[in-house]
Amino acid sequence: MRQICLPTGLNEHETRLLDQIIVRKKIARDSYLYRIGDQFTSLYAVRVGHFKTYQENLAGDRQINGFQMSGDLLGMDAISSALHQCDAVALDDSEVCMIPYTQLETLFTEMPILMRHFHRVMSEEIMGEQNVIMILGNMYAEQRFAAFLINLSRRYALRGYSPTRFQLRMTREDIGNYLGLTMESVSRMIAKMRKDGLIEVRQRDVEVFNLSALNKLAAGIDISDSSQASLDLPSVVTEYNYLSPQLTYLQRLWTAK
Amino acid sequence: MRQICLPTGLNEHETRLLDQIIVRKKIARDSYLYRIGDQFTSLYAVRVGHFKTYQENLAGDRQINGFQMSGDLLGMDAISSALHQCDAVALDDSEVCMIPYTQLETLFTEMPILMRHFHRVMSEEIMGEQNVIMILGNMYAEQRFAAFLINLSRRYALRGYSPTRFQLRMTREDIGNYLGLTMESVSRMIAKMRKDGLIEVRQRDVEVFNLSALNKLAAGIDISDSSQASLDLPSVVTEYNYLSPQLTYLQRLWTAK
DNA sequence: CGGTCGATTGAAAGCACTCAATCGGGGTGG
DNA sequence: CCACCCCGATTGAGTGCTTTCAATCGACCG
């Protein structure tokens, strides 16, 4: 773990201090990491596995806020009220780092570097949600699903996995709920993209054939309109960031070893 | 200002320290507080006036992320990348407190109370965006507009203004953009609610006649269905929080005097 | 080899959008 | 002071994207 921490600013002593307050915990598939209304005591960093978080309204409708994978931090929405504001459910058998929040804040005063990292993580959480807002507020079903695949692709790439071959850990219904669509619409978008030769999907296995075409789709550029002089857009288009460009130091720390 | 700060944790010396790094700045209506891509140096707390913040996608479509009023903090999404991720435009002639971020972080190490307040503010920002996600992902046009009015109502109430009479500072188009609707749909929802006797709207002036009915609407409970045994729902319904329950210490601080 | 749950596909309906015309308040200039 | 203009807002009609409802498929599991 030292190799990961030392180059990014924490010394050996500081790394040990941080490590001392963290406790690992296993969460079985389909069980809750925490529930709405639970007392907030810890943040959770995903070490292994996947989670979904969702809110519930008074009518009982659910809205999935996001899917979390290794390195992602859960529970930041609970800081202000000291109560968890959503349910967090494991999609796989998973393992998390429990980070007692009071102790973490105490460490911040001694370790400004750690504090700054934490602020960046919270800021990224805000950016990620703004991305979701853009998807839900402005996009058609096909664009939404394209943006969803691109997001997953980048996040897996950041973690050293293939950006073009990965498994969906959630049901079609979960995807639809997250994207503000029905499960049927998701299914139709998959069928359409498969017919268009952009992706292949068998069950939960996804292979992306044409990531740049997906980017254009998500950006609202009609790829079937071949009358356009150039189908290759400036690199900024394919480089459009649906996600932060690299794993943060903290993400690497709490998924290390 | 001391009366406001001292009871909430900061002593006189600390209050002065914080006050020393803050600079006030006036922003004329329709001008930018910051723009996408601008270097991030400061957070901004609204003292007077209103702002809107929006992102832009590659196709040039805009999505308004939120409307900010006195006490609200802008720019937190820029911390992670050191570049502003959205445009912030004044809806009124406004005044803000510029809070140099590096200096603020330095203060945190000396003033843990201030740091904890800041974490709560960021956490509330996350909750607020999750609220928007719920609106965009799950609600019909009428519910969305009801939720929008309730949100404004609460925020004005927190600031000591009437929760039932206030002015819209943004155009119908802005409202529609924010809610994932067209300006025409917003107009139709206003007409419907007016016909139903829930509100009166003349230009930008809004009067809410029945806040609890609005809450039921937003919660997805059909108020026209009078066959239900009881139209009065448990208090939890009308108490449903679309916003944090009180102004934070920091909000009061930087809007003081 | 059923049974179950998730996924796919089809047909019809609905909600919001698009397009277009009209209204109306506020500001400007004659 | 009034007429005109402009822009935001309203209203109507028709279209379209997504949903709803329903039937079927298919993989996994005991």
Side-chain angles (χ1 to χ4, degrees):
Chain A
M1 192 143 66
R2 282 177 204 157
Q3 294 90 316
I4 292 167
C5 304
L6 295 178
T8 36
L10 291 196
N11 63 36
E12 207 170 329
H13 172 62
E14 292 171 330
T15 304
R16 199 163 40 240
L17 280 179
L18 176 57
D19 215 39
Q20 275 170 2
I21 68 169
I22 290 175
V23 177
R24 294 189 183 173
K25 187 177 177 183
K26 290 188 191 301
I27 306 289
R29 176 177 173 164
D30 290 331
S31 58
Y32 293 97
L33 178 57
Y34 53 77
R35 304 215 55 178
I36 299 170
D38 282 358
Q39 207 72 35
F40 167 70
T41 57
S42 296
L43 296 171
Y44 300 92
V46 181
R47 275 184 48 79
V48 179
H50 293 76
F51 289 82
K52 65 177 171 183
T53 52
Y54 56 83
Q55 339 172 45
E56 201 157 321
N57 69 10
L58 294 166
D61 304 322
R62 290 174 174 180
Q63 171 66 43
I64 293 179
N65 294 320
F67 300 106
Q68 291 80 24
M69 55 179 70
S70 64
D72 289 337
L73 194 62
L74 292 97
M76 287 175 282
D77 54 346
I79 292 172
S80 68
S81 64
L83 296 176
H84 282 287
Q85 302 297 315
C86 55
D87 287 351
V89 176
L91 298 171
D92 294 329
D93 286 339
S94 303
E95 192 180 330
V96 297
C97 293
M98 288 182 60
I99 309 166
Y101 185 65
T102 308
Q103 294 181 50
L104 181 66
E105 273 192 330
T106 304
L107 282 188
F108 287 158
T109 61
E110 305 160 21
M111 298 161 61
I113 291 176
L114 184 63
M115 178 185 72
R116 281 194 283 275
H117 271 292
F118 179 64
H119 293 167
R120 276 199 282 274
V121 171
M122 287 202 91
S123 176
E124 275 175 21
E125 176 80 8
I126 292 172
M127 281 177 53
E129 289 185 348
Q130 288 182 351
N131 183 36
V132 175
I133 289 171
M134 177 67 97
I135 288 173
L136 293 175
N138 263 320
M139 295 187 185
Y140 291 113
E142 193 177 12
Q143 293 177 279
R144 292 184 196 198
F145 187 67
F148 172 74
L149 289 177
I150 291 163
N151 180 297
L152 285 182
S153 168
R154 300 205 173 233
R155 291 164 78 187
Y156 282 122
L158 286 175
R159 284 155 178 80
Y161 300 111
S162 168
T164 56
R165 282 173 150 275
F166 48 85
Q167 283 195 3
L168 302 173
R169 303 320 234 277
M170 66 298 287
T171 66
R172 302 284 193 270
E173 187 156 21
D174 282 343
I175 297 171
N177 183 305
Y178 175 64
L179 295 176
L181 303 169
T182 58
M183 138 185 65
E184 292 93 332
S185 291
V186 172
S187 206
R188 282 184 247 271
M189 293 308 116
I190 291 175
K192 182 172 190 321
M193 287 187 186
R194 201 157 59 176
K195 192 168 66 62
D196 293 343
L198 296 178
I199 59 174
E200 184 52 76
V201 180
R202 253 189 296 276
Q203 306 304 123
R204 305 274 179 102
D205 294 311
V206 175
E207 178 161 12
V208 178
F209 296 133
N210 194 339
L211 209 41
S212 85
L214 276 189
N215 269 292
K216 291 171 192 165
L217 252 186
I221 297 156
D222 189 354
I223 54 174
S224 68
D225 182 5
S226 51
S227 69
Q228 294 189 345
S230 168
L231 277 174
D232 286 317
L233 292 153
S235 65
V236 68
V237 171
T238 49
E239 297 303 324
Y240 191 83
N241 266 335
Y242 288 89
L243 229 221
S244 61
Q246 59 175 39
L247 280 192
T248 69
Y249 151 65
L250 279 180
Q251 286 176 316
R252 278 175 286 146
L253 173 61
W254 47 50
T255 58
K257 232 196 4 169
Chain B
M1 192 144 64
R2 281 177 206 156
Q3 294 89 318
I4 292 166
C5 304
L6 294 179
T8 37
L10 292 195
N11 63 37
E12 209 170 326
H13 172 62
E14 291 170 330
T15 304
R16 200 161 40 240
L17 280 178
L18 176 56
D19 216 38
Q20 275 171 3
I21 69 168
I22 289 176
V23 178
R24 294 188 184 174
K25 187 177 178 184
K26 289 188 191 301
I27 307 289
R29 176 178 171 163
D30 290 333
S31 57
Y32 293 97
L33 178 58
Y34 53 76
R35 305 215 53 178
I36 299 171
D38 283 357
Q39 208 70 35
F40 167 69
T41 57
S42 295
L43 296 171
Y44 300 92
V46 181
R47 274 184 51 77
V48 179
H50 293 76
F51 288 83
K52 64 176 172 184
T53 52
Y54 56 82
Q55 343 172 43
E56 202 157 321
N57 70 10
L58 295 165
D61 304 323
R62 290 173 176 180
Q63 170 66 43
I64 294 178
N65 294 319
F67 301 105
Q68 291 80 24
M69 56 179 68
S70 65
D72 289 338
L73 195 61
L74 292 96
M76 287 176 281
D77 53 347
I79 292 171
S80 67
S81 65
L83 296 177
H84 281 288
Q85 303 296 314
C86 55
D87 287 351
V89 176
L91 297 172
D92 293 329
D93 287 337
S94 304
E95 191 180 330
V96 298
C97 292
M98 288 182 58
I99 309 165
Y101 185 64
T102 307
Q103 294 181 52
L104 182 65
E105 274 193 329
T106 304
L107 282 189
F108 287 159
T109 60
E110 304 159 21
M111 299 161 59
I113 290 175
L114 183 63
M115 179 184 73
R116 281 194 282 276
H117 271 292
F118 179 65
H119 293 167
R120 277 199 283 273
V121 171
M122 287 202 90
S123 176
E124 276 175 21
E125 175 80 9
I126 292 172
M127 280 177 55
E129 290 186 347
Q130 287 181 352
N131 184 35
V132 175
I133 289 171
M134 176 67 97
I135 288 173
L136 294 175
N138 263 319
M139 294 187 185
Y140 291 113
E142 193 177 13
Q143 293 177 279
R144 293 184 197 199
F145 187 68
F148 172 74
L149 289 178
I150 292 163
N151 180 298
L152 285 182
S153 168
R154 300 206 173 230
R155 291 164 77 188
Y156 282 122
L158 286 174
R159 284 155 180 79
Y161 300 111
S162 167
T164 56
R165 283 173 149 273
F166 48 84
Q167 283 195 3
L168 302 173
R169 303 323 234 274
M170 67 298 285
T171 66
R172 303 284 193 270
E173 187 157 22
D174 282 342
I175 298 173
N177 182 305
Y178 175 65
L179 295 175
L181 302 169
T182 58
M183 138 186 65
E184 292 93 333
S185 291
V186 172
S187 206
R188 281 183 247 270
M189 292 309 113
I190 292 175
K192 182 173 190 321
M193 287 187 183
R194 201 156 57 175
K195 192 170 64 65
D196 293 344
L198 296 178
I199 59 175
E200 184 52 76
V201 180
R202 252 188 297 274
Q203 306 304 122
R204 304 276 177 100
D205 294 311
V206 176
E207 177 161 12
V208 178
F209 296 132
N210 194 339
L211 209 41
S212 84
L214 276 189
N215 269 292
K216 291 171 192 165
L217 251 187
I221 298 156
D222 190 354
I223 54 174
S224 68
D225 181 6
S226 51
S227 69
Q228 294 189 344
S230 170
L231 277 173
D232 287 313
L233 292 152
S235 65
V236 67
V237 171
T238 49
E239 297 302 324
Y240 190 85
N241 265 335
Y242 289 88
L243 231 221
S244 60
Q246 57 175 40
L247 281 191
T248 69
Y249 151 64
L250 280 180
Q251 286 176 316
R252 277 175 287 145
L253 173 63
W254 47 50
T255 58
K257 232 192 9 164

